[in-house]
Amino acid sequence: MASVMPLSEKDLHCPVCCEVFVFPVTLECRHTICKICVQKHWEWKGSRECPVCQRRSSTDRPPINLALKIASDSLMGLKLQNAKMDSEAWCNLHNEQLKVFCLFEEKPICTVCQVSKEHRLHLCCPVEEAALDRKREISTQLNSFQKQLKAFNAIKGDWTETENYIKVQADKTDRQIRTEFEKLHKFLWEEETARLAALREEEKKKTQTVKEKLEGITNTIAVLSDTISNLQKAIEADDVSFLQDFKQTKSRAISRTPEVERISGALIDVSKHLGSLKFHVWKKMLEIINYTHITMDPNTAHPNLSFTLELSSVRYSSKHEVPDNPERCTSRMAVMGAEGFTSGRYTWDVEVGDNRDWCIGVAQESILRKKTIFLKPGEGFWTISLCNGDTYWAQTSPRTRLSLKTKPQRITVDLDYDKGKVAFIDSISTMPIYTFKHKFNEKLFPYFSPGINVEGKNQSPIKVCPLTVSVMTK
């Protein structure tokens, strides 16, 4: 195979304009010329002749010589780069190399510029030294930008994860809402069915009663009509016949006709079925509805916690894929309440059951949620806890061991924000457990930690006990 001869710079010049090719096209005669040069020549001649050999071309769109175009473009790029380097490396005023850097104007100059009136009072240094110092300066800033870029990419990843989780969270919440409304719809449908059945049953009974009365009065009417007919016939008969049958006629005339009975309470008791219908249905709904005024916020929960549908109960579980949003508690197995308090008094009961480990109380909004810290008032916590199933602590600093006669199953948390008190009481025996005193100056949230379930020793959830709901009318 014959080797391809390398192209020289001379081979890359157009024979017409003598410049480096711009869009070189090859004519049928094998001469290569700039496309613009060919078009101008053809316009001038009025025919498609080669500017070199005058041979006619049969096509007005000669093909581009791709190899020459690539080589020509590379040569032009190299020339532009060399021209730029030459222009940057030499002084335009004195045609001297730029070897000195003016620190005042921050630009390279030549040695003649350095002693000129414009620069002789300025501090200068060699270009190499100035470049080294300034490259170090830019490198420092570059490192800072690279760190920022890395941080932004990490944040972008978090936001992408959050965006995806929002869809998952919305779909799950959608299903849960539908489930709850299905229960309500089922209740209402069953209640509607029962009430309609009661209406139809009353309709059936009262219709039967009316039918019986109608049958009785129909028979009476028939008997009375027959008597009237017989008496009329007797009266119309001749005197002898009338008198002969008088005893029988008189007997018919003096027979008693039963009195017409009016039916009382025969109509449908509409008021019973429609009177305050929605109120009575709503009142009955209370039997299937639980209300807890303290709701847990799953957006603050450790990834290993799971909740009941109405967010009133929490337990340890396998890890969930959730975003590490700023509100989430990742340093401790905990979750916070959805609503915070800045004034007033609030109480709620927490069922801790037979769990061996738990911690309940209140925490302020600014607690460190990603870093392990002590649960003490100085860090924004007012809590009590149970450890290993037998040791109760008030999380003071240092913590205080509590001596309890009985193991509480349900504990009342009594927060009086204005008086600066958090009291814990055994809900069943009403015996006080511990009271914190502190001047609060930040929003407080209920705090729940069910502990870790190791070998099935912490299976029971921590529950916020529902309130008893009653209906009062005025």
Side-chain angles (χ1 to χ4, degrees):
M1 182 182 291
S3 61
V4 179
M5 296 295 293
L7 297 173
S8 65
E9 184 176 343
K10 182 179 179 182
D11 295 330
L12 301 177
H13 285 75
C14 174
V16 176
C17 64
C18 300
E19 298 291 340
V20 177
F21 282 120
V22 178
F23 284 102
V25 294
T26 301
L27 304 178
E28 293 176 353
C29 59
R30 312 303 296 171
H31 288 116
T32 302
I33 305 164
C34 289
K35 183 178 181 180
I36 296 177
C37 294
V38 171
Q39 290 174 344
K40 286 182 178 180
H41 181 74
W42 286 356
E43 290 174 1
W44 177 67
K45 291 286 291 184
S47 61
R48 294 193 293 269
E49 294 182 357
C50 173
V52 179
C53 65
Q54 284 76 49
R55 179 179 171 180
R56 283 182 173 272
S57 175
S58 61
T59 178
D60 60 349
R61 300 182 68 180
I64 294 176
N65 190 321
L66 187 60
L68 281 180
K69 183 180 184 306
I70 294 173
S72 301
D73 290 348
S74 299
L75 178 62
M76 287 298 295
L78 184 62
K79 284 189 172 185
L80 288 173
Q81 185 177 358
N82 291 336
K84 183 179 179 181
M85 291 178 62
D86 290 344
S87 63
E88 290 177 351
W90 294 83
C91 177
N92 295 329
L93 296 176
H94 307 109
N95 200 26
E96 294 282 340
Q97 280 189 306
L98 303 176
K99 295 184 176 182
V100 182
F101 184 77
C102 176
L103 298 175
F104 180 76
E105 294 191 4
E106 292 190 324
K107 69 177 184 179
I109 58 177
C110 68
T111 54
V112 179
C113 290
Q114 184 181 9
V115 297
S116 67
K117 181 188 297 184
E118 184 180 357
H119 295 281
R120 65 187 175 193
L121 297 179
H122 297 166
L123 292 175
C124 299
C125 68
V127 165
E128 295 79 5
E129 181 181 328
L132 182 61
D133 290 343
R134 278 144 191 81
K135 284 181 179 179
R136 287 173 179 168
E137 178 184 345
I138 298 301
S139 294
T140 301
Q141 189 61 37
L142 176 62
N143 291 336
S144 175
F145 286 149
Q146 288 172 337
K147 290 179 180 178
Q148 289 181 17
L149 178 61
K150 184 178 180 180
F152 285 142
N153 283 329
I155 293 173
K156 179 183 177 182
D158 291 341
W159 279 113
T160 301
E161 181 184 352
T162 300
E163 180 184 19
N164 296 333
Y165 183 71
I166 287 172
K167 173 63 177 172
V168 173
Q169 196 177 33
D171 290 344
K172 180 180 179 182
T173 305
D174 179 286
R175 291 192 299 271
Q176 292 173 329
I177 290 174
R178 291 177 187 274
T179 299
E180 288 299 285
F181 271 94
E182 282 174 6
K183 294 177 183 177
L184 295 175
H185 294 159
K186 183 174 182 290
F187 168 83
L188 291 173
W189 181 82
E190 291 175 348
E191 186 67 16
E192 176 188 0
T193 302
R195 287 178 176 270
L196 289 175
L199 170 64
R200 293 307 174 189
E201 181 64 23
E202 183 181 358
E203 178 191 19
K204 180 180 177 181
K205 288 181 178 180
K206 291 194 172 181
T207 300
Q208 182 62 32
T209 300
V210 171
K211 281 184 177 180
E212 292 173 357
K213 297 294 183 181
L214 282 172
E215 288 177 3
I217 199 170
T218 300
N219 293 333
T220 300
I221 290 172
V223 171
L224 183 60
S225 297
D226 185 58
T227 300
I228 292 171
S229 177
N230 291 330
L231 291 176
Q232 285 178 340
K233 287 180 180 179
I235 293 172
E236 292 173 357
D238 59 83
D239 294 344
V240 175
S241 298
F242 172 76
L243 293 173
Q244 286 177 341
D245 296 329
F246 177 72
K247 287 184 178 181
Q248 186 178 0
T249 302
K250 183 179 179 181
S251 174
R252 289 176 180 174
I254 65 175
S255 63
R256 292 186 177 182
T257 303
E259 294 182 2
V260 177
E261 181 183 354
R262 295 292 182 180
I263 305 175
S264 176
L267 301 180
I268 295 293
D269 191 353
V270 177
S271 61
K272 181 184 73 173
H273 296 287
L274 294 181
S276 300
L277 174 62
K278 287 178 281 191
F279 171 79
H280 291 299
V281 173
W282 171 73
K283 185 177 179 181
K284 192 172 180 181
M285 286 180 70
L286 295 179
E287 298 173 6
I288 66 166
I289 294 174
N290 289 326
Y291 171 67
T292 54
H293 63 303
I294 300 296
T295 302
M296 299 175 186
D297 183 1
N299 292 336
T300 67
H302 189 279
N304 282 94
L305 296 181
S306 60
F307 304 87
T308 52
L309 189 61
E310 294 186 343
L311 304 176
S312 60
S313 175
V314 60
R315 72 192 312 158
Y316 178 83
S317 67
S318 57
K319 188 173 183 179
H320 303 285
E321 293 297 327
V322 294
D324 187 17
N325 48 300
E327 303 87 356
R328 193 171 302 283
C329 300
T330 55
S331 62
R332 291 190 176 274
M333 201 69 57
V335 62
M336 298 178 72
E339 182 183 359
F341 312 113
T342 55
S343 64
R345 184 177 180 180
Y346 306 88
T347 61
W348 59 94
D349 289 356
V350 182
E351 186 177 319
V352 294
D354 294 320
N355 284 338
R356 293 175 56 82
D357 295 279
W358 49 259
C359 181
I360 60 173
V362 296
Q364 63 188 21
E365 188 173 21
S366 64
I367 60 170
L368 298 178
R369 309 184 187 207
K370 313 296 182 184
K371 181 180 178 182
T372 302
I373 54 177
F374 292 105
L375 299 179
K376 57 184 181 180
E379 301 290 350
F381 295 88
W382 294 268
T383 61
I384 63 172
S385 62
L386 171 64
C387 298
N388 299 320
D390 57 6
T391 311
Y392 292 90
W393 299 94
Q395 298 296 337
T396 53
S397 182
R399 62 181 184 169
T400 304
R401 185 165 184 172
L402 304 174
S403 298
L404 304 181
K405 294 181 179 180
T406 58
K407 184 176 183 179
Q409 299 288 307
R410 180 183 295 183
I411 297 175
T412 300
V413 182
D414 185 354
L415 167 65
D416 192 328
Y417 191 100
D418 300 325
K419 291 185 178 180
K421 291 197 306 182
V422 183
F424 297 88
I425 304 163
D426 186 325
S427 305
I428 298 174
S429 68
T430 68
M431 293 296 294
I433 298 174
Y434 191 82
T435 299
F436 288 92
K437 293 184 178 180
H438 188 86
K439 185 177 181 179
F440 304 120
N441 54 16
E442 190 178 323
K443 183 179 285 189
L444 299 180
F445 290 82
Y447 182 87
F448 309 92
S449 176
I452 300 175
N453 183 12
V454 180
E455 299 177 354
K457 296 180 179 179
N458 228 43
Q459 295 183 358
S460 301
I462 285 183
K463 302 178 183 178
V464 178
C465 300
L467 299 179
T468 300
V469 181
S470 61
V471 178
M472 297 182 63
T473 57
K474 292 184 179 181

